[in-house]
Amino acid sequence: MPSITEKMQSELALEEIFGQATEYALNYINNIGDQDPFPSPLAIAQLSYFNESLPTKGIKSTEILKLLHTYGSPATTAQTGGRYFGFVTGGAIPVALASKWLTDVWDQNSGLYLMSPVASTIEAVTETWLREIFDLDQNVVASFLSGTSMAIVCGLAAARYRIFKRANWDFNQKGHNGGPVIRIVAGDTAHGAVIKAISLLGFGIDNIEWVDTDDQGRLILGQLPELDDKTIVVLQAGNVNTGAFDPIQQVCKRANEAGAWVHIDGAFGLWAAASSDLKHLTRGMKNAQSWSVDGHKTLNTPYDNGILLCADKQALHGALQSSGSYLAYSEQRDGMLYTPEMSRRARAIELWATLKYLGKHGVDELVTGLHTRATQFAEQLRANNFQVLNEVVFNQIIVGFEHNDIYTQKIVEHIQASGDCWVGSSTWQGKVVIRISICSWATTSADVCRSVTAFIKARNSLAA
Ligand SMILES: *Cc1c(COP(=O)(O)O)cnc(C)c1O
């Protein structure tokens, strides 16, 4: 019997499983355009194949890949296709996906320059590109994180570190107890990830000073409380329902005068800044102190690609520092100073590949294109007597009905079952609505037409 080391060495030498994985992956990619956006009931039922107890003995590698492709692939949501509009997700730029494949093989740890000079170098370059694309000052640094949720946590942690430091309080040593009291101000439509970060960091949800918002979910400037230098204001660039943007410029002005810290949660919306047609939405964003944004939504990098941008590098490092006798920080970029994790895969490479591929103009075209498709979708819905409830300023559309919530839910079910497109429901101003999010580069004008037809069919079959 060969040992597992011998077995794995021969697998590497034979290359068979990599060819097999490539074949399956290409097969998936080639069929994604025709695949229903949501898996069929059969595909879901067959997921029971995975429900087994931990095996005592392993099986052949080729069998494992086969299982994944046979039962896994059909049970995926077709997020990389053009007709998935659920949540706020994002497709995948082909070269970003391919770069991820290649660099997965490298299996780099981007914790320290010494652990991976290439990951560190690419992170540093990507940071300068992000500054440029968002038109931020030279002192702004980037952290490469799993997603916006973690980016908000890190941004608020940096804010806390700075505010305490100004009061001569070393947060890392002393914690909250007995220290200055930090105020948190946010619009009342703030994303769940903001609320999670606030509870995770120990600020307490009950301590949030909520600010009223208007019919689009934008914070109302006149309702903003008096700010001071112990306040963190969390703004939103892109409401998950309407896509609306808070009045960033005006709030930043007031916050700067008061010495407050502004964090902008722009998971998908911050990319408006990269579109010449849409950048008015983020006007003044430069005057905030930290920004959270995803590569994996609007920019269409593969998942696991969040970014924190922070104008206070010392506060960020202060909040996230770690020590250990074996840690050798270098003159180069040491990734772990920017993130809660020590070990971390080199996710910035997909981001780098995406920006290198698209260039500034390509990012503009991509982001503007999502808005164009959203506008088309909204116009065609309106032309067919559907009620679009929001101003379609970015990529989000919400559709409401005169009928009760059960009716709306039924329409959603009909559309989902059609296989033509997938949309989800949400709640907006106390009513169930349909939420459409245009997030993938792959969505074409024809995809939108087919999806609008699915809406019409759903309404007709409920009328019948
Ligand atoms: C998606 C989203 C988040 C959370 O981001 P993740 O990448 O899923 O962690 C936060 N805020 C807004 C506005 C979002 O759309």
Side-chain angles (χ1 to χ4, degrees), residues 24-39 72-86 88-98 100-101 295-297 299-303 366 370 422 437-444 447:
Y24 291 155
L26 294 179
N27 176 277
Y28 185 84
I29 288 169
N30 287 331
N31 290 312
I32 198 69
D34 300 325
Q35 188 178 314
D36 280 0
F38 198 81
S73 297
T76 56
T77 46
Q79 285 184 189
T80 54
R83 294 176 285 113
Y84 184 85
F85 308 116
V88 187
T89 54
I93 300 270
V95 72
L97 209 49
K100 184 164 184 247
W101 273 5
H296 56 223
K297 289 180 179 170
L299 191 67
N300 281 233
T301 66
Y303 270 106
L366 172 76
L370 301 177
W422 201 91
S437 182
I438 312 285
C439 288
S440 174
W441 64 266
T443 299
T444 61
D447 288 329

Side-chain angles (χ1 to χ4, degrees), residues 149-172:
S149 300
M150 197 36 77
I152 299 168
V153 169
C154 295
L156 300 191
R160 173 172 64 186
Y161 184 89
R162 174 56 66 214
I163 291 172
F164 276 63
K165 196 82 182 165
R166 282 203 295 250
N168 249 326
W169 188 270
D170 183 337
F171 179 79
N172 293 351

Side-chain angles (χ1 to χ4, degrees), residues 88-89 146-152 189-194 236-240 265-269 292-297 303-306 435:
V88 187
T89 54
S146 52
T148 289
S149 300
M150 197 36 77
I152 299 168
T189 64
H191 193 272
V194 170
Q236 188 159 243
N239 174 288
V240 276
D265 172 24
F268 65 95
S292 44
V293 56
D294 274 323
H296 56 223
K297 289 180 179 170
Y303 270 106
D304 186 30
N305 220 302
R435 181 171 69 151

Side-chain angles (χ1 to χ4, degrees), residues 125 268 306 431:
V125 171
F268 65 95
K431 274 196 86 173

Side-chain angles (χ1 to χ4, degrees), residues 20-316:
Q20 188 189 358
T22 307
E23 188 191 318
Y24 291 155
L26 294 179
N27 176 277
Y28 185 84
I29 288 169
N30 287 331
N31 290 312
I32 198 69
D34 300 325
Q35 188 178 314
D36 280 0
F38 198 81
S40 69
L42 175 68
I44 294 203
Q46 289 188 338
L47 284 174
S48 62
Y49 280 94
F50 291 110
N51 292 331
E52 56 173 346
S53 47
L54 176 69
T56 329
K57 280 172 62 183
I59 61 168
K60 278 176 64 176
S61 316
T62 48
E63 288 302 312
I64 291 170
L65 293 174
K66 197 166 161 197
L67 275 174
L68 276 177
H69 190 52
T70 310
Y71 301 114
S73 297
T76 56
T77 46
Q79 285 184 189
T80 54
R83 294 176 285 113
Y84 184 85
F85 308 116
F87 305 93
V88 187
T89 54
I93 300 270
V95 72
L97 209 49
S99 301
K100 184 164 184 247
W101 273 5
L102 172 61
T103 57
D104 271 347
V105 175
W106 298 353
D107 197 25
Q108 296 293 282
N109 186 332
S110 52
L112 293 171
Y113 177 82
L114 264 182
M115 298 174 104
S116 178
V118 60
S120 166
T121 303
I122 290 182
E123 280 196 356
V125 171
T126 308
E127 176 182 272
T128 66
W129 290 3
L130 289 169
R131 260 199 308 263
E132 192 177 336
I133 214 153
F134 290 117
D135 190 24
L136 296 172
D137 291 340
Q138 286 305 310
N139 58 327
V140 171
V141 294
S143 309
F144 300 101
L145 299 149
S146 52
T148 289
S149 300
M150 197 36 77
I152 299 168
V153 169
C154 295
L156 300 191
R160 173 172 64 186
Y161 184 89
R162 174 56 66 214
I163 291 172
F164 276 63
K165 196 82 182 165
R166 282 203 295 250
N168 249 326
W169 188 270
D170 183 337
F171 179 79
N172 293 351
Q173 293 295 334
K174 302 190 192 192
H176 278 128
N177 288 355
V181 175
I182 291 187
R183 294 170 54 206
I184 311 250
V185 170
D188 62 15
T189 64
H191 193 272
V194 170
I195 297 164
K196 187 193 280 194
I198 286 165
S199 53
L200 186 59
L201 290 167
F203 291 124
I205 297 167
D206 284 352
N207 297 320
I208 303 174
E209 297 176 36
W210 295 111
V211 185
D212 290 345
T213 50
D214 66 13
D215 63 344
Q216 300 295 307
R218 289 175 294 230
L219 177 150
I220 299 169
L221 195 61
Q223 302 286 328
L224 194 69
E226 213 42 59
L227 305 176
D228 59 38
D229 63 358
K230 294 190 180 60
T231 306
I232 304 172
V233 184
V234 185
L235 293 184
Q236 188 159 243
N239 174 288
V240 276
N241 285 307
T242 62
F245 291 67
D246 282 340
I248 293 172
Q249 185 165 36
Q250 296 88 326
V251 176
C252 284
K253 185 162 181 289
R254 289 208 15 208
N256 290 350
E257 282 161 8
W261 180 296
V262 178
H263 177 88
I264 302 181
D265 172 24
F268 65 95
L270 207 71
W271 292 104
S275 155
S276 28
D277 289 353
L278 303 172
K279 69 173 172 217
H280 61 94
L281 295 167
T282 58
R283 192 175 295 135
M285 68 173 262
K286 199 193 226 332
N287 299 316
Q289 280 63 47
S290 54
W291 306 259
S292 44
V293 56
D294 274 323
H296 56 223
K297 289 180 179 170
T298 310
L299 191 67
N300 281 233
T301 66
Y303 270 106
D304 186 30
N305 220 302
I307 305 157
L308 172 74
L309 296 156
C310 182
D312 189 338
K313 178 177 171 177
Q314 277 164 347
L316 183 70

Side-chain angles (χ1 to χ4, degrees), residues 440-462:
S440 174
W441 64 266
T443 299
T444 61
S445 172
D447 288 329
V448 171
C449 294
R450 178 168 169 187
S451 303
V452 172
T453 306
F455 272 72
I456 297 168
K457 280 192 204 152
R459 185 175 55 194
N460 289 346
S461 56
L462 279 192

